Amino acid sequence: MMTSELSPGNRAEAGTAPSERSERTWRTRSIRERQASSADRRLAMRNRLIESRLTPNSISVTGLILNLAAAVLVTQRLFFLAGLTFIAGSVMDMLDGRYSRMSGKGTPFGAFLDSTLDRIEEGIVLTAVAAYFSARGDDFAVAAVVLVVLGSLMVSYTRARAEALGVECKVGFATRPVRVVVLSAGLVFAKGAGIGDFELLAPAIYVMAALTALTVWQRVWHVRRALTGQ
């Protein structure tokens, strides 16, 4: 009579297979249930967003108002509050695009308005910072702010022009989130902001000036290589 022999590994697998299969089945079912539950929540959220009256443009305008408030606070030397308000306004700027995609309420004009307001908001806050340095007689810092404004505009322009030529151009250090972080840190830790004895506003401006200039160069070089193959 023929008997089948199992290797030690096979015998161990055979002895534990039912419990292991049960555990794997339970884990798989649990994962699928969580995924289904998460998908249901996202769908429900999307439906609520679609039904709500909130629009991406209203979020963009809210960001503009907050950045205007931040600029006013800078002129009043309330740097800590200005930094927090600038952060809140910048968060609105970053949320409007995501909300547009989630809700399905995005429009070509909305995308145009969002990009336009982003440039205006950054320029308004930086103008207030330049006025502060000018009042202190710090001409070098004022010139650095002008370079930051020019650099920020060119960072956006080079990307837009590159994409018009069919080249994706997101390279570089000084993206909008990075500029927001650096300027926010400069405002929150500006002299007289109330957090320690720091003066990071001018250094933050110098860092932004250097990073924006470098990013413009990076994007020009990237587009050149993409279009010429060199």
Side-chain angles (χ1 to χ4, degrees), residues 10 21 34 41 51 82-83 109 127 140 143 168 189 195 212:
N10 289 335
R21 282 198 298 269
R34 288 197 298 269
R41 286 195 297 270
E51 294 171 359
F109 173 73
T127 298
F140 184 80
E168 186 177 25
F189 292 101
I195 300 182
T212 52

Side-chain angles (χ1 to χ4, degrees), residues 68-225:
L68 284 169
V72 172
L73 290 169
V74 169
T75 63
Q76 301 303 310
R77 310 296 190 265
L78 299 173
F79 295 108
F80 182 75
L81 291 177
L84 295 182
T85 306
F86 176 67
I87 292 171
S90 299
V91 169
M92 292 294 103
D93 295 336
M94 297 174 188
L95 284 179
D96 52 8
R98 180 172 297 181
Y99 176 77
S100 174
R101 292 188 295 271
M102 289 180 61
S103 65
K105 296 181 179 180
T107 63
F109 173 73
F112 167 80
L113 180 66
D114 177 29
S115 298
T116 301
L117 292 183
D118 285 350
R119 306 289 80 75
I120 293 174
E121 291 160 5
E122 193 171 13
I124 287 172
V125 176
L126 288 171
T127 298
V129 172
Y132 162 71
F133 286 133
S134 178
R136 292 177 52 186
D138 192 343
D139 294 337
F140 184 80
V142 173
V145 175
V146 174
L147 290 177
V148 172
V149 174
L150 175 61
S152 298
L153 292 174
M154 289 306 300
V155 166
S156 299
Y157 175 80
T158 49
R159 176 180 174 180
R161 192 70 185 93
E163 292 179 349
L165 296 173
V167 178
E168 186 177 25
C169 189
K170 297 181 181 180
V171 301
F173 297 110
T175 58
R176 179 71 193 284
V178 171
R179 298 198 304 272
V180 167
V181 169
V182 175
L183 183 55
S184 298
L187 290 171
V188 170
F189 292 101
K191 192 172 184 63
I195 300 182
D197 189 18
F198 299 103
E199 174 50 75
L200 295 186
L201 185 54
I205 292 298
Y206 301 147
V207 169
M208 290 178 68
L211 289 180
T212 52
L214 177 59
T215 299
V216 171
W217 179 85
Q218 287 176 302
R219 293 190 171 184
V220 170
W221 183 257
H222 171 77
V223 174
R224 179 182 182 276
R225 292 185 62 185

